[in-house]
Amino acid sequence: LKQKNLISRIEETTQKFVSENVIFKIRETSDYQHISSTKSLAFQNVYINSQQSSVINTIQSKVNCCNFSPCGKYIICCGDNKILEIFKLDDPSYHLLLEGHFDSVNYCCFSPDSSLILSASDDGCLKLWDIDDGSEIINLEGHEERVNKAVFSVDGQQILSCSDDSTIKLWEHGLTDPVITFLGHEGSVNSCEFSPTHEVCVSCSDDRTIRLWDTQSGEMLIKFELHQSFVYDCRFSRDGSFICSTSKDQTMRILNMNDGQDVGIIEGHHSAVRGCCFTLDSNFVISCSNDGSIRVWDLKT
């Protein structure tokens, strides 16, 4: 697969990449625009057409995750100081703190209708928060170790979470106990995601596997052993046709869900590949790595 030249598409695709949880900075060099990752929240030092965006100052010592709300009005972030922070894009003075976790918060996101916030923490808990006043709605306990990620289904009625306890759990709206625990991984589960239809979900683990699960029965449908080291992230494309995975082995893999075949290996990073996401049209995938770079790949070539 060929790495896509981003310059010609930067204005068209920047919003898509940002909305997919990618924080990056673009700096001009003598002959091209170089993209590299940043550990700060922030659109800090982001330049598009030589215009610098605003900087969002957080109280975090380290920002682990940030997300836009689907309504486009808010940004949420979380980090190692156990607190979540909400910012309003149209009100620079707005800064709401959500306190309740007892350890680092690893992931946070909004519900599809932007009314709720979901967080996952090293304290082994998931929490739901009200967007209006920041109050804690419910605390979900069930994992035995740190929770690495938690996500909503597209309709907002289900939650999927994954943990260092080697499990994935499915939660139903209004219930405090998980309705399904997916068993089979033999190491920390680093990422999980619903398919667009909710019928299946995908997970990846330190056991070097990617697994597909039936969300009705909890049965494992298929196990992919494609990577040579820990698998850090796995994502469905928006149409559900592909899955992308990233690994400590410095590669990405693309799986075709129409026939279950491995499309191929994507190489180019020089260190562990930490995350990935598809553009809305599923034609491109973006990756970020410990080598300090973000790369955009053309799946049509």
Side-chain angles (χ1 to χ4, degrees):
L1 290 171
K2 179 181 179 182
Q3 186 175 355
K4 183 68 178 177
N5 184 332
L6 182 60
I7 301 173
S8 62
R9 297 180 59 87
I10 189 67
E11 289 182 302
E12 175 184 349
T13 57
T14 296
Q15 183 58 41
K16 295 179 183 180
F17 299 152
V18 172
S19 67
E20 291 284 351
N21 311 332
V22 177
I23 308 171
F24 59 88
K25 62 182 179 182
I26 302 172
R27 67 174 185 270
E28 293 184 357
T29 66
S30 58
D31 57 344
Y32 64 94
Q33 286 187 315
H34 174 76
I35 300 178
S36 62
S37 61
T38 176
K39 293 181 180 178
S40 60
L41 172 67
F43 310 117
Q44 186 171 5
N45 299 325
V46 176
Y47 293 87
I48 303 297
N49 292 335
S50 300
Q51 298 297 314
Q52 184 176 8
S53 73
S54 59
V55 175
I56 301 174
N57 296 312
T58 79
I59 62 172
Q60 307 288 341
S61 58
K62 175 186 174 185
V63 179
N64 293 328
C65 178
C66 73
N67 255 314
F68 276 113
S69 63
C71 68
K73 296 180 179 179
Y74 301 95
I75 290 175
I76 181 77
C77 78
C78 61
D80 285 355
N81 68 352
K82 312 173 190 178
I83 297 173
L84 293 91
E85 300 177 65
I86 305 176
F87 304 91
K88 274 187 179 180
L89 293 178
D90 61 356
D91 183 359
S93 65
Y94 186 89
H95 186 199
L96 185 61
L97 303 181
L98 311 185
E99 301 182 61
H101 281 294
F102 296 102
D103 211 331
S104 299
V105 186
N106 300 312
Y107 197 83
C108 56
C109 62
F110 290 90
S111 61
D113 64 1
S114 301
S115 65
L116 301 175
I117 292 167
L118 174 63
S119 59
S121 170
D122 275 5
D123 63 16
C125 298
L126 293 73
K127 291 183 183 290
L128 283 173
W129 313 80
D130 187 280
I131 185 63
D132 291 329
D133 59 9
S135 60
E136 181 181 322
I137 297 174
I138 194 169
N139 183 60
L140 300 175
E141 299 183 57
H143 285 292
E144 297 179 0
E145 297 185 40
R146 62 174 278 171
V147 186
N148 294 312
K149 187 176 180 180
V151 294
F152 285 101
S153 58
V154 175
D155 63 4
Q157 297 303 301
Q158 294 179 318
I159 290 171
L160 197 65
S161 62
C162 60
S163 168
D164 277 3
D165 65 11
S166 303
T167 71
I168 307 103
K169 293 184 184 290
L170 181 69
W171 313 76
E172 294 279 359
H173 180 71
L175 300 180
T176 57
D177 294 317
V179 295
I180 296 177
T181 296
F182 303 89
L183 301 173
H185 278 297
E186 299 174 359
S188 298
V189 186
N190 298 316
S191 184
C192 58
E193 187 169 81
F194 287 101
S195 70
T197 63
H198 308 174
E199 295 177 354
V200 299
C201 62
V202 64
S203 63
C204 62
S205 169
D206 281 0
D207 66 11
R208 305 183 182 185
T209 68
I210 304 155
R211 303 182 189 226
L212 286 177
W213 310 84
D214 186 313
T215 56
Q216 298 299 313
S217 66
E219 177 186 2
M220 187 181 73
L221 301 175
I222 190 168
K223 177 174 70 173
F224 297 97
E225 298 178 272
L226 304 173
H227 289 285
Q228 302 303 309
S229 189
F230 303 157
V231 189
Y232 289 136
D233 198 11
C234 54
R235 296 289 188 97
F236 276 102
S237 60
R238 290 302 179 98
D239 61 5
S241 297
F242 297 96
I243 289 174
C244 179
S245 63
T246 67
S247 172
K248 187 180 179 181
D249 67 12
Q250 304 182 19
T251 71
M252 290 191 299
R253 305 299 289 249
I254 303 293
L255 296 168
N256 188 329
M257 290 297 95
N258 295 318
D259 56 17
Q261 297 299 308
D262 177 19
V263 174
I265 187 170
I266 300 178
E267 298 176 299
H269 283 292
H270 305 297
S271 188
V273 189
R274 302 296 307 198
C276 60
C277 64
F278 289 90
T279 53
L280 297 180
D281 60 12
S282 302
N283 290 328
F284 300 90
V285 65
I286 189 168
S287 60
C288 60
S289 167
N290 284 355
D291 65 14
S293 71
I294 290 174
R295 301 177 185 233
V296 182
W297 310 86
D298 187 349
L299 299 183
K300 303 189 301 297
T301 61

